[in-house]
Amino acid sequence: MVSIDNFNFAGKKAFVRVDFNVPLDENFNITDDTRIRAALPTLKKILADGGSPIIGSHLGRPKGATDKFSLKHILGHVSELLGVDVQFANDCIGEEAAVKAAALRPGEALLLENLRFYAEEEGKARGLAEDATDEEKKAAKKAVKESQKTFTKTLASYADCYVNDAFGTAHRAHASTALIADYFDTDHKMFGYLMEKEVKAVEKVMKDITRPFTAIMGGSKVSSKIEIIENLLDKVDNLIIAGGMTYTFTKARGGKIGKSLVEDDKLDLALELIQKAKDKGVNLVLAVDAKIADDFSNDANTRFCAVNEIPDAWEGLDIGPETEKIFAGVIEQSKTILWNGPTGVFEFDNFTSGSRSVGEAIVKATANGAFSLVGGGDSVACVNKFGMADKVSYVSTGGGALLEAIEGKTLPGIAAIEGLPY
């Protein structure tokens, strides 16, 4: 694998897989261009070298070609940010795409239409009847896997080299995120700058650990974080459990949680995780008090109480002041920090205090030399909302990809570049 810094793109066409899956309003205006801006350094490097980037991305989850998910809606903004008049191909593998890619001159760029307009990108059969038999499903899957080879080969044929700069899709073994890498030798496939930074950040918190290492895991469900928590129990010194998961753990320990969010079928699992932490010498930190409300609303009546004494008609929507102090005390003494998930319903302004206090503690620890990685959509939204994004070490662009990396899974988009099995 070659480093993008050491590769000269002069006179070369590069297929660049980016993640331009940005949110659009009802008038197709981009409401957050973070992902586009994240890919700019890589695209500008190729253009500055005298190369020609052929940009591939998905947008949304289309089940076929549809105007709603067309990348033409973002073309103007991409051109503006890149400083070049980016061309557009109305199909990613049609004749127009091939002709425009072949005609690209040094310093010119081409954006292909949404790769997911084709089932072959994801390699999943579409259009099956609801009552399709197992045999029909098997045949459809085999057919799309076969046509996926032609789809992938066509995309690869446009370029001299391949650059993957889409960490957000690195956990998917799709045509453009992994399979395409097989068509390029080791010296002609590489990570873009964003991917390089993401990979290094993940390795920093999972392999190159300076202790104490603290992970703050929020989120509503224990079930969605089981594998992450279990993997972290082998690595961290402190594991802070926050968010909706708090109440499953609290109820498992015999506490009263009112009408707070809970997974009743995961109470035994919560007790198992508590015991595992104890057996491994991990300091498992749980809330002691909560900010409770009589309705799931920003305008609800609120008060504070012990987390295990929530009245029947009330629910916990954030941590309380005593828990804020406990969490902050642990975080501020840490040297490696991973934050995934807020402490409460931070979307409501009246329940942002806990998440803000965690963010402030992370910022303080970072200023004192800790390495801090913030990842997962809600955590990223938190640090952006509180104006802290530039005060932590790294903010990851990958939601699912980051979580799978933390779980210890091999990410196909990374393995394919490194020449490893996935």
Side-chain angles (χ1 to χ4, degrees):
M1 183 183 73
V2 65
S3 167
I4 187 171
D5 267 329
N6 298 329
F7 193 87
N8 188 349
F9 291 94
K12 292 184 173 64
K13 295 183 177 70
F15 184 94
V16 190
R17 180 51 160 102
V18 298
D19 183 4
F20 283 175
N21 186 25
V22 294
L24 304 173
D25 64 19
E26 64 276 10
N27 297 314
F28 302 112
N29 296 308
I30 298 168
T31 56
D32 182 352
D33 67 356
T34 302
R35 285 175 170 165
I36 297 176
R37 290 180 181 277
L40 293 180
T42 291
L43 296 172
K44 286 183 175 180
K45 150 75 173 169
I46 296 167
L47 291 168
D49 277 2
S52 309
I54 298 164
I55 307 165
S57 179
H58 72 281
L59 178 64
R61 298 176 180 271
K63 298 303 179 188
T66 169
D67 183 71
K68 178 182 178 181
F69 293 116
S70 174
L71 285 169
K72 70 184 181 187
H73 300 305
I74 70 168
L75 180 66
H77 194 59
V78 173
S79 295
E80 181 185 339
L81 293 178
L82 260 187
V84 299
D85 188 14
V86 179
Q87 300 174 42
F88 185 69
N90 287 300
D91 189 353
C92 60
I93 60 166
E95 183 181 351
E96 181 188 355
V99 169
K100 286 189 172 180
L104 275 182
R105 293 178 296 186
E108 293 183 338
L110 172 67
L111 175 64
L112 302 177
E113 182 57 285
N114 194 336
L115 297 165
R116 286 191 186 172
F117 279 179
Y118 285 86
E120 285 79 4
E121 164 64 3
E122 297 178 273
K124 295 178 182 176
R126 293 177 184 169
L128 276 170
E130 286 186 20
D131 59 351
T133 64
D134 287 344
E135 282 301 312
E136 287 171 333
K137 290 177 183 176
K138 188 176 178 182
K141 182 178 180 181
K142 184 179 179 182
V144 77
K145 288 294 183 184
E146 198 56 41
S147 59
Q148 187 181 45
K149 294 175 185 176
T150 303
F151 178 84
T152 309
K153 187 176 182 179
T154 301
L155 292 179
S157 71
Y158 302 151
D160 306 299
C161 54
Y162 171 63
V163 183
N164 191 340
D165 209 27
F167 182 72
T169 59
H171 56 315
R172 307 296 188 199
H174 292 171
S176 68
T177 62
L179 306 184
I180 192 173
D182 289 341
Y183 290 90
F184 300 91
D185 63 36
T186 307
D187 295 331
H188 290 83
K189 56 185 172 186
M190 67 209 79
F191 296 138
Y193 287 120
L194 175 63
M195 277 283 276
E196 274 190 353
K197 287 194 293 184
E198 294 276 5
V199 171
K200 286 177 181 174
V202 170
E203 287 184 347
K204 180 76 177 167
V205 296
M206 300 309 289
K207 295 176 183 177
D208 183 22
I209 301 166
T210 303
R211 299 192 180 278
F213 177 14
T214 297
I216 305 107
M217 300 303 297
S220 58
K221 296 182 177 180
V222 181
S223 54
S224 64
K225 298 286 174 81
I226 296 170
E227 292 178 345
I228 300 168
I229 291 171
E230 291 195 326
N231 193 42
L232 286 172
L233 286 175
D234 288 324
K235 301 179 185 301
V236 301
D237 301 291
N238 307 295
L239 178 59
I240 295 174
I241 299 291
M245 290 192 290
T246 298
Y247 308 103
T248 298
F249 277 87
T250 301
K251 186 171 181 178
R253 299 166 82 193
K256 288 178 59 183
I257 60 165
K259 60 176 184 177
S260 303
L261 186 68
V262 65
E263 289 179 285
D264 284 317
D265 61 336
K266 294 293 182 288
L267 300 180
D268 287 342
L269 173 63
L271 291 176
E272 285 175 24
L273 292 172
I274 291 170
Q275 188 59 47
K276 279 185 181 179
K278 190 175 180 180
D279 293 343
K280 293 175 183 290
V282 173
N283 178 29
L284 186 67
V285 189
L286 298 166
V288 296
D289 61 345
K291 185 172 186 179
I292 63 174
D294 61 358
D295 187 30
F296 188 79
S297 163
N298 187 54
D299 302 320
N301 294 308
T302 65
R303 66 189 210 217
F304 296 105
C305 74
V307 75
N308 58 356
E309 295 177 5
I310 301 175
D312 289 344
W314 294 66
E315 60 187 310
L317 295 186
D318 197 9
I319 57 174
E322 288 306 310
T323 303
E324 286 184 12
K325 291 176 192 172
I326 293 168
F327 285 6
V330 173
I331 294 166
E332 288 172 19
Q333 297 301 313
S334 304
K335 290 300 178 186
T336 303
I337 303 165
L338 170 66
W339 186 18
N340 176 257
T343 66
V345 189
F346 79 101
E347 297 91 342
F348 295 157
D349 287 342
N350 284 334
F351 302 96
T352 59
S353 181
S355 297
R356 185 185 294 275
S357 70
V358 164
E360 288 172 347
I362 293 172
V363 167
K364 190 171 180 180
T366 305
N368 288 330
F371 177 84
S372 53
L373 170 61
V374 178
D378 286 341
S379 302
V380 174
C382 273
V383 293
N384 286 334
K385 181 173 185 172
F386 304 145
M388 299 174 180
D390 59 346
K391 296 171 185 172
V392 298
S393 303
Y394 194 74
V395 178
S396 177
T397 61
L402 177 68
L403 295 185
E404 290 198 14
I406 296 168
E407 285 174 30
K409 293 181 179 177
T410 298
L411 304 188
I414 293 173
I417 297 288
E418 295 179 337
L420 300 172
Y422 55 87

